[in-house]
PDB file of all heavy atoms in Angstrom:
ATOM      1  N   VAL A 123      -4.548  10.942 -15.997  1.00 98.00           N
ATOM      2  CA  VAL A 123      -5.219   9.897 -16.773  1.00 98.00           C
ATOM      3  C   VAL A 123      -4.780   8.540 -16.230  1.00 98.00           C
ATOM      4  O   VAL A 123      -3.591   8.300 -16.004  1.00 98.00           O
ATOM      5  CB  VAL A 123      -4.886  10.023 -18.273  1.00 98.00           C
ATOM      6  CG1 VAL A 123      -5.587   8.929 -19.078  1.00 98.00           C
ATOM      7  CG2 VAL A 123      -5.306  11.402 -18.789  1.00 98.00           C
ATOM      8  N   VAL A 124      -5.752   7.653 -16.021  1.00 98.00           N
ATOM      9  CA  VAL A 124      -5.494   6.372 -15.369  1.00 98.00           C
ATOM     10  C   VAL A 124      -5.972   5.221 -16.247  1.00 98.00           C
ATOM     11  O   VAL A 124      -7.110   5.233 -16.726  1.00 98.00           O
ATOM     12  CB  VAL A 124      -6.215   6.284 -14.005  1.00 98.00           C
ATOM     13  CG1 VAL A 124      -5.830   4.989 -13.283  1.00 98.00           C
ATOM     14  CG2 VAL A 124      -5.918   7.499 -13.150  1.00 98.00           C
ATOM     15  N   ARG A 125      -5.118   4.242 -16.437  1.00 98.00           N
ATOM     16  CA  ARG A 125      -5.522   3.029 -17.159  1.00 98.00           C
ATOM     17  C   ARG A 125      -6.039   2.000 -16.156  1.00 98.00           C
ATOM     18  O   ARG A 125      -5.297   1.528 -15.293  1.00 98.00           O
ATOM     19  CB  ARG A 125      -4.340   2.456 -17.948  1.00 98.00           C
ATOM     20  CG  ARG A 125      -4.675   1.121 -18.645  1.00 98.00           C
ATOM     21  CD  ARG A 125      -3.586   0.741 -19.632  1.00 98.00           C
ATOM     22  NE  ARG A 125      -2.270   0.657 -19.002  1.00 98.00           N
ATOM     23  CZ  ARG A 125      -1.807  -0.420 -18.370  1.00 98.00           C
ATOM     24  NH1 ARG A 125      -2.577  -1.498 -18.241  1.00 98.00           N
ATOM     25  NH2 ARG A 125      -0.583  -0.413 -17.861  1.00 98.00           N
ATOM     26  N   GLY A 126      -7.311   1.683 -16.277  1.00 98.00           N
ATOM     27  CA  GLY A 126      -7.903   0.686 -15.401  1.00 98.00           C
ATOM     28  C   GLY A 126      -8.134  -0.629 -16.129  1.00 98.00           C
ATOM     29  O   GLY A 126      -7.659  -0.837 -17.245  1.00 98.00           O
ATOM     30  N   GLU A 127      -8.875  -1.507 -15.477  1.00 98.00           N
ATOM     31  CA  GLU A 127      -9.295  -2.776 -16.070  1.00 98.00           C
ATOM     32  C   GLU A 127     -10.815  -2.826 -16.029  1.00 98.00           C
ATOM     33  O   GLU A 127     -11.440  -2.139 -15.211  1.00 98.00           O
ATOM     34  CB  GLU A 127      -8.691  -3.944 -15.294  1.00 98.00           C
ATOM     35  CG  GLU A 127      -7.170  -3.958 -15.269  1.00 98.00           C
ATOM     36  CD  GLU A 127      -6.639  -5.110 -14.445  1.00 98.00           C
ATOM     37  OE1 GLU A 127      -6.932  -6.269 -14.781  1.00 98.00           O
ATOM     38  OE2 GLU A 127      -5.941  -4.841 -13.442  1.00 98.00           O
ATOM     39  N   PRO A 128     -11.446  -3.624 -16.884  1.00 96.00           N
ATOM     40  CA  PRO A 128     -12.913  -3.635 -16.918  1.00 96.00           C
ATOM     41  C   PRO A 128     -13.569  -3.942 -15.571  1.00 96.00           C
ATOM     42  O   PRO A 128     -14.666  -3.464 -15.299  1.00 96.00           O
ATOM     43  CB  PRO A 128     -13.221  -4.733 -17.952  1.00 96.00           C
ATOM     44  CG  PRO A 128     -12.044  -4.709 -18.875  1.00 96.00           C
ATOM     45  CD  PRO A 128     -10.871  -4.428 -17.977  1.00 96.00           C
ATOM     46  N   HIS A 129     -12.883  -4.692 -14.716  1.00 97.00           N
ATOM     47  CA  HIS A 129     -13.455  -5.056 -13.410  1.00 97.00           C
ATOM     48  C   HIS A 129     -12.803  -4.309 -12.255  1.00 97.00           C
ATOM     49  O   HIS A 129     -13.156  -4.553 -11.089  1.00 97.00           O
ATOM     50  CB  HIS A 129     -13.292  -6.563 -13.170  1.00 97.00           C
ATOM     51  CG  HIS A 129     -11.867  -6.945 -12.906  1.00 97.00           C
ATOM     52  ND1 HIS A 129     -10.918  -6.957 -13.906  1.00 97.00           N
ATOM     53  CD2 HIS A 129     -11.222  -7.277 -11.760  1.00 97.00           C
ATOM     54  CE1 HIS A 129      -9.750  -7.304 -13.387  1.00 97.00           C
ATOM     55  NE2 HIS A 129      -9.911  -7.488 -12.089  1.00 97.00           N
ATOM     56  N   ASP A 130     -11.851  -3.398 -12.564  1.00 98.00           N
ATOM     57  CA  ASP A 130     -11.053  -2.795 -11.496  1.00 98.00           C
ATOM     58  C   ASP A 130     -10.503  -1.448 -11.977  1.00 98.00           C
ATOM     59  O   ASP A 130      -9.703  -1.412 -12.908  1.00 98.00           O
ATOM     60  CB  ASP A 130      -9.900  -3.731 -11.148  1.00 98.00           C
ATOM     61  CG  ASP A 130      -9.071  -3.270  -9.959  1.00 98.00           C
ATOM     62  OD1 ASP A 130      -9.285  -2.141  -9.480  1.00 98.00           O
ATOM     63  OD2 ASP A 130      -8.202  -4.045  -9.515  1.00 98.00           O
ATOM     64  N   PRO A 131     -10.890  -0.333 -11.347  1.00 98.00           N
ATOM     65  CA  PRO A 131     -10.383   0.970 -11.806  1.00 98.00           C
ATOM     66  C   PRO A 131      -8.913   1.201 -11.487  1.00 98.00           C
ATOM     67  O   PRO A 131      -8.320   2.153 -11.992  1.00 98.00           O
ATOM     68  CB  PRO A 131     -11.271   1.974 -11.074  1.00 98.00           C
ATOM     69  CG  PRO A 131     -11.718   1.256  -9.851  1.00 98.00           C
ATOM     70  CD  PRO A 131     -11.861  -0.193 -10.252  1.00 98.00           C
ATOM     71  N   ARG A 132      -8.327   0.364 -10.647  1.00 98.00           N
ATOM     72  CA  ARG A 132      -6.907   0.431 -10.305  1.00 98.00           C
ATOM     73  C   ARG A 132      -6.525   1.792  -9.722  1.00 98.00           C
ATOM     74  O   ARG A 132      -5.552   2.421 -10.145  1.00 98.00           O
ATOM     75  CB  ARG A 132      -6.034   0.091 -11.515  1.00 98.00           C
ATOM     76  CG  ARG A 132      -6.209  -1.314 -12.047  1.00 98.00           C
ATOM     77  CD  ARG A 132      -5.775  -2.378 -11.061  1.00 98.00           C
ATOM     78  NE  ARG A 132      -4.350  -2.241 -10.746  1.00 98.00           N
ATOM     79  CZ  ARG A 132      -3.376  -2.821 -11.455  1.00 98.00           C
ATOM     80  NH1 ARG A 132      -3.674  -3.556 -12.529  1.00 98.00           N
ATOM     81  NH2 ARG A 132      -2.111  -2.675 -11.098  1.00 98.00           N
ATOM     82  N   LEU A 133      -7.282   2.234  -8.736  1.00 98.00           N
ATOM     83  CA  LEU A 133      -7.013   3.489  -8.039  1.00 98.00           C
ATOM     84  C   LEU A 133      -6.430   3.189  -6.660  1.00 98.00           C
ATOM     85  O   LEU A 133      -6.710   2.137  -6.081  1.00 98.00           O
ATOM     86  CB  LEU A 133      -8.297   4.307  -7.900  1.00 98.00           C
ATOM     87  CG  LEU A 133      -8.989   4.688  -9.219  1.00 98.00           C
ATOM     88  CD1 LEU A 133     -10.318   5.383  -8.931  1.00 98.00           C
ATOM     89  CD2 LEU A 133      -8.093   5.561 -10.073  1.00 98.00           C
ATOM     90  N   PRO A 134      -5.637   4.096  -6.096  1.00 97.00           N
ATOM     91  CA  PRO A 134      -5.027   3.849  -4.788  1.00 97.00           C
ATOM     92  C   PRO A 134      -6.073   3.729  -3.692  1.00 97.00           C
ATOM     93  O   PRO A 134      -7.138   4.345  -3.761  1.00 97.00           O
ATOM     94  CB  PRO A 134      -4.147   5.077  -4.568  1.00 97.00           C
ATOM     95  CG  PRO A 134      -3.920   5.638  -5.926  1.00 97.00           C
ATOM     96  CD  PRO A 134      -5.174   5.361  -6.691  1.00 97.00           C
ATOM     97  N   PRO A 135      -5.774   2.963  -2.659  1.00 97.00           N
ATOM     98  CA  PRO A 135      -6.723   2.816  -1.547  1.00 97.00           C
ATOM     99  C   PRO A 135      -7.026   4.148  -0.877  1.00 97.00           C
ATOM    100  O   PRO A 135      -6.150   4.993  -0.705  1.00 97.00           O
ATOM    101  CB  PRO A 135      -5.984   1.878  -0.577  1.00 97.00           C
ATOM    102  CG  PRO A 135      -4.979   1.160  -1.421  1.00 97.00           C
ATOM    103  CD  PRO A 135      -4.576   2.128  -2.490  1.00 97.00           C
ATOM    104  N   ALA A 136      -8.293   4.327  -0.512  1.00 98.00           N
ATOM    105  CA  ALA A 136      -8.742   5.496   0.267  1.00 98.00           C
ATOM    106  C   ALA A 136      -8.238   6.812  -0.300  1.00 98.00           C
ATOM    107  O   ALA A 136      -7.746   7.674   0.424  1.00 98.00           O
ATOM    108  CB  ALA A 136      -8.301   5.344   1.721  1.00 98.00           C
ATOM    109  N   SER A 137      -8.400   7.009  -1.623  1.00 98.00           N
ATOM    110  CA  SER A 137      -7.872   8.204  -2.277  1.00 98.00           C
ATOM    111  C   SER A 137      -8.933   9.089  -2.916  1.00 98.00           C
ATOM    112  O   SER A 137      -8.627  10.206  -3.331  1.00 98.00           O
ATOM    113  CB  SER A 137      -6.870   7.796  -3.361  1.00 98.00           C
ATOM    114  OG  SER A 137      -7.509   7.038  -4.388  1.00 98.00           O
ATOM    115  N   VAL A 138     -10.183   8.637  -2.986  1.00 98.00           N
ATOM    116  CA  VAL A 138     -11.207   9.306  -3.794  1.00 98.00           C
ATOM    117  C   VAL A 138     -12.381   9.768  -2.926  1.00 98.00           C
ATOM    118  O   VAL A 138     -12.916   8.999  -2.126  1.00 98.00           O
ATOM    119  CB  VAL A 138     -11.710   8.357  -4.905  1.00 98.00           C
ATOM    120  CG1 VAL A 138     -12.829   9.013  -5.720  1.00 98.00           C
ATOM    121  CG2 VAL A 138     -10.554   7.947  -5.824  1.00 98.00           C
ATOM    122  N   ASP A 139     -12.760  11.038  -3.095  1.00 98.00           N
ATOM    123  CA  ASP A 139     -13.929  11.575  -2.386  1.00 98.00           C
ATOM    124  C   ASP A 139     -15.229  11.267  -3.122  1.00 98.00           C
ATOM    125  O   ASP A 139     -16.263  11.020  -2.497  1.00 98.00           O
ATOM    126  CB  ASP A 139     -13.804  13.097  -2.242  1.00 98.00           C
ATOM    127  CG  ASP A 139     -12.609  13.494  -1.397  1.00 98.00           C
ATOM    128  OD1 ASP A 139     -12.577  13.133  -0.214  1.00 98.00           O
ATOM    129  OD2 ASP A 139     -11.693  14.157  -1.937  1.00 98.00           O
ATOM    130  N   ALA A 140     -15.190  11.348  -4.447  1.00 98.00           N
ATOM    131  CA  ALA A 140     -16.389  11.112  -5.251  1.00 98.00           C
ATOM    132  C   ALA A 140     -15.984  10.448  -6.561  1.00 98.00           C
ATOM    133  O   ALA A 140     -14.930  10.754  -7.129  1.00 98.00           O
ATOM    134  CB  ALA A 140     -17.118  12.423  -5.537  1.00 98.00           C
TER     135      ALA A 140
END
Side-chain angles (χ1 to χ4, degrees):
V123 180
V124 185
R125 176 168 57 85
E127 300 178 60
H129 71 287
D130 185 352
R132 297 295 299 272
L133 301 175
S137 63
V138 177
D139 297 298

